[in-house]
Amino acid sequence: MCGIVGYTGGKQAYPILIDGLKKLEYRGYDSAGVALLQDRGVTVFKKEGKVAKLEAHVGVSDVASHTGIGHTRWATHGEPCDRNAHPHLSRSGRIAMIHNGIIENYAQLKTELLKEGYVFHSDTDSEVLLNFIEDIQIKNECSLEEAIRIALKRVTGAYVILLIDQAYPDTIIAARKGSPLVIGIGQNEHFLGSDASPMLAYTKEVVYINDYELAIVKPDELILKNLGNEIITPYVQKLDMELAAIEKNGYDHFMLKEIFEQPQTIFDSLRGRMDAQKNQITLSGIDAIADKIMAARRIIIVACGTSWHSALVAEYVIEELCRINVEVEYASEFRYRNPIISSEDVIIAISQSGETADTLVALENAKEQGATIYGLVNVVGSSIARISNAGSYTHAGPEIGVASTKAYTAQLAVLQLIALKIAKLKGTIDDQKFTYFIQQLDAVPEKVQWILDNQVEEIQRIAKKYSDANDVLYLGRGYNFPTALEGALKLKEISYIHAEGYPAAEMKHGPIALVDETLPVIFVATKDSYHEKIVSNIQEIKARKGKIIAIVSEGDNRVEELADDIMVVPNCDEIIAPLLAAIPLQLLAYYIGVERGLDVDQPRNLAKSVTVE
Ligand code: F6R
């Protein structure tokens, strides 16, 4: 959370920083600010709210500068307001700093500084760290770089920090632990960002900075060091991403664009990995740890939010096809509850961003205890991808809408491949069934396209009809129980309507008390082995006058007769159904959010990449 950008080079820094902040706004939008190195010293502009408000605030001020840093905030310490916005200035006014992360021992550092007479102008942990650095620099009469190194050895928590100091023209000093930092290399210029999107228009050569590394960045020089002051050779990588991938391309919102991209992104996630002719799935990550998987006593899947929902689907699929015990864990619980882990465990981590703090730390802990980590990640080069022993990318491309859509279905697609691949290795699937599932998966992109071509108008109508609801219940069974959870999560985050997902049969044990003629109940009722059961559940809700909205398989007249409204998906095997059923629920949440006049790409209080615990 929080987006950071930096630029030093021959161009004007301000427009690059503003454009970069807009690209990173998905990481937080409580406030925005920039600091520029100018002839007269360091100038800071900052404002509560989105980047557009910052631009209006800056207006026609003098922003001429070739070196600057910028920040878009997701508030942790201190309410969103101008005062708490970054960049912060040090006591001398000489140094400006932006920070993404949390300094856990900031209170102790603050007490020390208060005793020294420091006065703080914000409630942030970041301002404390900045003054702690300056205090060290003054007392030790050392360089800024040295002061940062000393300070960071005393700091606990997570950070990416970028500093500019009027004593060091053209220079940005950056350091990272636990939050992402990418440096883009241009012609006599460098770009810094929480991800590569701010630099994509200028360069495709990037360096991903690792934990405990410090970068001294000048237009024509990038020096990388560890906290022990040893020089590290930067590992330059080529970005495989086009600018169009991070633009709206005519859609009203990124979320809508990303929903409509799914036929392609699902195709991309499967591409080159399955061969129906040869009856083969190629996943080099699984091959790399095949011996561990064969010997594993169980697979633990660790994730948060939407990724946790795809983990639940995977639990059902892997146990069914591979006959191996699977446990699904919330990363935030797993990391703190002292789980029993050994070298006989294989852990699959699922994460779109690859930066989710809870997932990352849960993996670090498990790795220390000998477990093998398999990362299923969307963002190439992200922290989770890098600490994994092996893994697969989901290849969904950049997901910018805060609510996850295409990354979710790409996760589901690759998890299906993983299950099939493991089943083949373990011999728990016969050739005929294997071919059948490959064919089923192969048909998914086309079926998703069918939903997008044929159901959008009807879903818009349903969205209008129920957009005033106060509560919505989502029910599903079996493979589509997680679909119900995901549908409810999408609606909550986009429309601010209270929504709950439940296993359909479980509603009799409590939630049924909520049902009256005002409650919309969304059933994920595609044709599967639970179908008769879910039809009974629909009857139970109908008998209590709840409004029934059902996702049904094409041609299912029975549920159509019972339901007030239906959203249709093509027929498919029940194992594949979550990939299709997710689409109408994403669209429904989107159109309800739009109907309510909300900012669906940047819902309140949320941020895309949750890099704080
Ligand atoms: C919901 C959503 C979040 C994320 C969660 C995990 O739409 O996007 O629930 O799924 O924060 O994020 P990743 O997958 O990046 O680890």
Side-chain angles (χ1 to χ4, degrees), residues 304-307 351-353 356 402-404 489-490 493 610:
C304 302
T306 287
S307 298
S351 175
Q352 186 287 127
S353 62
T356 301
V402 163
S404 189
L489 178 63
K490 282 297 84 97
E493 56 185 342
V610 186

Side-chain angles (χ1 to χ4, degrees), residues 241-275:
M241 198 194 289
E242 296 305 324
L243 198 55
I246 55 167
E247 305 206 317
K248 280 192 208 150
N249 295 341
Y251 285 92
D252 288 343
H253 296 98
F254 281 109
M255 183 177 175
L256 191 63
K257 176 191 169 217
E258 287 157 7
I259 292 173
F260 273 81
E261 278 174 347
Q262 288 175 107
Q264 185 63 44
T265 50
I266 295 170
F267 176 80
D268 289 344
S269 66
L270 300 171
R271 182 170 45 187
R273 289 174 163 169
M274 48 181 214
D275 186 334

Side-chain angles (χ1 to χ4, degrees), residues 297-303 308 311-312 314-316 318-319 324-330 334 337 339-341 345-348:
R297 55 184 181 135
R298 60 179 174 170
I299 293 174
I300 306 170
I301 314 185
V302 179
W308 187 80
L312 281 185
E315 178 186 20
Y316 282 49
I318 296 174
E319 288 203 345
I324 180 168
N325 178 19
V326 179
E327 288 167 24
V328 175
E329 296 271 357
Y330 282 115
F334 190 67
R337 70 168 179 77
I340 302 158
I341 305 167
D345 293 320
V346 170
I347 300 202
I348 300 180

Side-chain angles (χ1 to χ4, degrees), residues 12 17 42 60 122 165 248 250 270 275 293 438 461 473 570:
Q12 282 299 321
L17 297 177
V42 175
V60 293
S122 76
D165 179 338
K248 280 192 208 150
L270 300 171
D275 186 334
I293 291 175
I438 287 189
R461 188 193 64 76
L473 197 56

Side-chain angles (χ1 to χ4, degrees), residues 479-513:
Y479 298 103
N480 271 325
F481 155 52
T483 309
L485 296 182
E486 174 59 9
L489 178 63
K490 282 297 84 97
L491 188 71
K492 269 184 261 212
E493 56 185 342
I494 298 306
S495 71
Y496 315 151
I497 295 174
H498 168 242
E500 280 192 61
Y502 254 89
E506 196 53 32
M507 56 116 184
K508 284 197 280 297
H509 301 282
I512 200 163

Side-chain angles (χ1 to χ4, degrees), residues 165-242:
D165 179 338
Q166 69 182 52
Y168 297 90
D170 305 330
T171 307
I172 299 172
I173 302 188
R176 108 154 230 179
K177 187 205 149 200
S179 295
L181 175 61
V182 187
I183 299 183
I185 300 167
Q187 287 287 332
N188 290 324
E189 59 184 356
H190 283 103
F191 305 83
L192 297 92
S194 299
D195 68 30
S197 58
M199 55 203 76
L200 207 50
Y202 307 97
T203 181
K204 290 212 165 159
E205 304 224 309
V206 297
V207 176
Y208 291 95
I209 306 304
N210 293 309
D211 279 352
Y212 304 108
E213 286 180 359
L214 192 124
I216 300 110
V217 191
K218 298 179 186 181
D220 52 357
E221 194 177 32
L222 166 62
I223 300 171
L224 215 56
K225 294 183 177 178
N226 61 21
L227 292 188
N229 201 20
E230 290 160 339
I231 300 264
I232 298 165
T233 309
Y235 172 52
V236 181
Q237 300 189 40
K238 222 164 177 82
L239 281 176
D240 180 21
M241 198 194 289
E242 296 305 324

